[in-house]
């Protein structure tokens, strides 16, 4: 049977080596001289089932060390050795949930060994419960996502793309539980199971919805929250899904006395950005210009977070490199790939010959929205010749 890994931390080298000789027959027992070395060993050789640290050490004391270990390796059971003068600090640490047990120095070897065995059993309980929960969650989430994939593959595909972006940025933006953000992205559209099939079909095709359908769509996060609430330990994810359309200034759904600004959960603020990026982007990664379009609606997004995500995800389209292409770059695009500020080199016309926009003009946001509507009714001559990038048009263009 594989021995459980134990890390013992002290600044007394002789004590450490003496303990290692006594304990290595019973445990996979490693030692560290001081807090900095302990963290290095934890990162290189971890995870550890148990960590015991002396309270008084130069540089980083035991409380600081074990608190940091609790952050980077939450399943590790932490214990502390203290002198009489440190017992008040140790009791406070236990009460805050940082420490499983503490021992007074000097500590009898048998007492220490028994404490390590108790800590190992505690670690086994923690990991067994976590594994059971993970399996239960994985099964429950798979059922929901399978339903969504069958319901509308296009919508599910978009949520998978958002999830992949969440996985890329989660750690860099300081998200405390990265898996949670990706799961929230995957489950974000689950409330759409409540929409009628005809509405789902029009939504997937980008067609304009009727007022009643738009109202039903706005309510889907509430339905999603109710569905997710039935899965244990996913309450916070349900709240993220519920607030995914909440604007940074407090407007948007849900309407009423709801959080705004930084009080909106971080996950919901991320989804507010990434969901809209997925609407704008036609590629696997969003372009810098997609972020520029989001910045035209500053009330919707957390500006600091938008900047962070842009730095992490934005792909630069060299068409917009003014030094390389001072007047932009000519290219052929299909109507679905047309963007705001593109300069038309040819007319945009239907196959019947009806001209909607003439060449020689930059495409405005209003015109692009109008084209999207007409695209559901008419067929257009494609591709369209455009010039993209270069100097931005003036407001008079």
């Amino acid at each position: 049977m594989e021995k459980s890994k134990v890390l013992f931390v002290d600044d007394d080298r002789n004590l450490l080596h003496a303990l290692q000789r006594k304990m290595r027959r019973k445990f996979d027992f490693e030692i560290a001289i001081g807090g900095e070395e302990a963290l290095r060993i934890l990162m290189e050789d971890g995870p550890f089932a148990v960590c015991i640290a002396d309270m008084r050490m130069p540089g980083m004391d035991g409380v600081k060390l074990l608190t940091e270990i609790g952050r980077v390796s939450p399943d590790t059971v932490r214990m502390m050795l203290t002198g009489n003068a440190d017992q008040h600090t140790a009791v406070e640490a236990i009460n805050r949930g940082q420490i499983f047990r503490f021992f007074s120095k000097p500590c009898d070897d048998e007492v220490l060994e028994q404490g390590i065995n108790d800590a190992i059993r505690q670690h086994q309980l923690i990991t067994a419960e976590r594994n059971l929960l993970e399996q239960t969650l994985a099964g429950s989430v798979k059922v929901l996502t399978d339903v969504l994939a069958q319901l509308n593959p296009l919508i599910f595909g978009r949520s998978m793309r958002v999830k992949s972006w969440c996985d890329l940025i989660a750690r860099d933006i300081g998200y405390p539980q990265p898996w949670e953000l990706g799961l929230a992205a995957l489950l974000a559209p689950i409330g759409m199971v409540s929409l009628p099939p005809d509405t789902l079909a029009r939504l997937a095709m980008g067609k304009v919805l009727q007022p009643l359908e738009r109202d039903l769509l706005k309510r889907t996060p509430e339905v999603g929250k109710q569905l997710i609430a039935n899965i244990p330990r996913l309450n916070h994810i349900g709240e993220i899904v519920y607030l995914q359309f909440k604007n940074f200034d407090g407007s948007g759904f849900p309407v009423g006395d709801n959080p705004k600004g930084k009080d909106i959960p971080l996950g919901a603020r991320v989804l507010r950005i990434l969901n809209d990026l997925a609407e704008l982007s036609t590629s696997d990664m969003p372009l810098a210009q997609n972020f520029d379009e989001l910045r035209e609606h500053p009330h919707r997004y957390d500006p600091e977070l938008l900047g962070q995500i842009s730095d992490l995800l934005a792909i630069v389209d060299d068409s917009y490199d003014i030094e390389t292409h001072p007047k932009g770059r000519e290219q052929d695009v299909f109507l679905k790939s047309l963007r705001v500020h593109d300069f038309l080199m040819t007319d945009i016309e239907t196959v019947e010959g009806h001209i909607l926009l003439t060449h020689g003009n930059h495409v405005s946001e209003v015109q692009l929205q109008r084209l999207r509507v007409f695209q559901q009714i008419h067929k257009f001559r494609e591709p369209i010749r455009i010039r993209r990038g270069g100097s931005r048009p003036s407001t008079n263009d």
Side-chain angles (χ1 to χ4, degrees):
M1 183 176 178
E2 186 177 352
K3 296 178 182 178
S4 296
K5 296 186 70 173
V6 177
L7 178 63
F8 196 100
V9 189
D10 203 300
D11 60 331
D12 186 334
R13 189 184 299 270
N14 294 329
L15 172 65
L16 288 173
H17 288 296
L19 278 173
Q20 190 175 40
R21 287 192 296 270
K22 293 176 183 176
M23 298 291 181
R24 62 187 175 188
R25 297 177 183 176
K26 299 176 181 179
F27 311 106
D28 183 353
F29 198 87
E30 294 194 35
I31 58 174
I33 302 174
E36 292 183 0
E37 182 175 323
L39 291 176
R40 178 184 60 77
I41 292 174
L42 182 73
M43 299 305 294
E44 293 177 358
D45 301 333
F48 286 84
V50 182
C51 180
I52 309 106
D54 186 20
M55 168 61 195
R56 289 189 178 275
M57 295 185 293
M60 181 183 297
D61 65 26
V63 172
K64 290 180 181 178
L65 170 63
L66 294 178
T67 299
E68 181 64 14
I69 289 176
R71 187 184 69 81
V72 299
S73 181
D75 290 344
T76 300
V77 178
R78 288 146 282 157
M79 301 194 292
M80 182 184 292
L81 282 170
T82 68
N84 291 333
D86 302 321
Q87 288 190 7
H88 177 70
T89 302
V91 170
E92 284 189 349
I94 292 173
N95 291 337
R96 291 197 301 268
Q98 294 178 356
I99 312 299
F100 172 67
R101 187 170 296 176
F102 74 94
F103 306 95
S104 297
K105 296 178 71 174
C107 180
D108 184 78
D109 291 345
E110 292 183 1
V111 173
L112 180 60
E113 181 181 334
Q114 181 60 50
I116 293 174
N117 282 321
D118 291 344
I120 289 172
R121 282 193 289 272
Q122 177 70 10
H123 179 262
Q124 290 169 343
L125 288 173
I126 292 171
T127 52
E129 180 186 15
R130 187 200 62 211
N131 292 338
L132 178 61
L133 279 171
E134 286 180 353
Q135 292 172 8
T136 303
L137 287 176
S140 302
V141 169
K142 186 177 186 304
V143 170
L144 289 177
T145 53
D146 283 352
V147 168
L148 186 59
Q150 292 293 323
L151 186 69
N152 197 302
L154 289 175
I155 292 173
F156 179 69
R158 190 172 64 195
S159 70
M160 286 294 293
R161 187 153 50 117
V162 172
K163 179 190 180 299
S164 70
W165 295 344
C166 287
D167 293 341
L168 289 173
I169 68 170
R171 294 192 183 277
D172 288 312
I173 65 172
Y175 204 88
Q177 299 285 351
W179 66 268
E180 179 185 273
L181 185 59
L183 189 55
L186 203 59
L187 294 177
I190 197 65
M192 291 185 181
V193 297
S194 63
L195 296 177
D198 290 346
T199 302
L200 273 173
R202 282 195 289 275
L203 184 65
M205 295 173 63
K207 291 186 176 181
V208 177
L209 301 181
Q210 299 297 319
L212 179 59
E213 292 176 317
R214 289 198 297 270
D215 186 60
L216 289 173
L217 181 61
K218 289 179 181 178
R219 309 295 301 187
T220 56
E222 188 172 11
V223 176
K225 178 183 179 181
Q226 292 168 356
L227 289 171
I228 295 169
N230 294 313
I231 305 177
R233 307 289 284 268
L234 290 192
N235 290 339
H236 187 56
I237 290 178
E239 191 67 17
I240 291 172
V241 169
Y242 180 56
L243 295 170
Q244 63 180 301
F245 295 142
K246 194 68 177 171
N247 293 327
F248 194 64
D249 68 352
S251 61
F253 182 86
V255 178
D257 186 17
N258 289 291
K260 64 179 181 179
K262 299 288 187 181
D263 291 333
I264 300 172
L266 176 58
R269 284 180 274 142
V270 171
L271 289 187
R272 187 71 186 95
I273 294 170
L274 296 186
N275 284 338
D276 285 0
L277 278 177
E279 291 280 352
L280 294 172
S281 175
T282 57
S283 58
D284 290 339
M285 295 295 288
L287 299 173
Q289 292 72 42
N290 298 142
F291 286 94
D292 289 340
E293 292 183 59
L294 295 190
R295 291 186 180 96
E296 294 177 5
H297 308 279
H299 70 286
R300 295 180 183 173
Y301 316 108
D302 179 340
E304 181 181 348
L305 186 62
L306 182 62
Q308 285 181 293
I309 295 176
S310 177
D311 291 341
L312 293 167
L313 293 183
I315 300 297
V316 176
D317 183 348
D318 67 359
S319 298
Y320 289 82
D321 187 344
I322 296 178
E323 291 185 3
T324 306
H325 307 286
K327 294 183 179 180
R329 189 176 68 181
E330 292 188 17
Q331 55 188 289
D332 293 323
V333 299
F334 287 93
L335 193 59
K336 68 178 183 180
S337 300
L338 196 67
R339 301 180 196 154
V340 176
H341 304 313
D342 283 345
F343 185 81
L344 298 177
M345 307 295 291
T346 57
D347 296 337
I348 297 180
E349 60 178 324
T350 66
V351 293
E352 293 86 7
H354 178 67
I355 296 177
L356 216 63
L357 284 178
T358 58
H359 68 280
N361 292 289
H362 289 93
V363 178
S364 69
E365 184 175 1
V366 173
Q367 289 170 333
L368 188 59
Q369 291 175 355
R370 182 166 173 255
L371 285 170
R372 297 284 185 255
V373 173
F374 272 81
Q375 195 177 11
Q376 310 312 317
I377 306 171
H378 302 283
K379 289 187 176 181
F380 287 81
R381 298 186 189 278
E382 300 179 273
I384 305 157
R385 189 70 176 175
I386 64 164
R387 187 174 70 231
R388 174 169 290 170
S391 301
R392 280 293 189 91
S394 69
T395 55
N396 296 324
D397 286 341

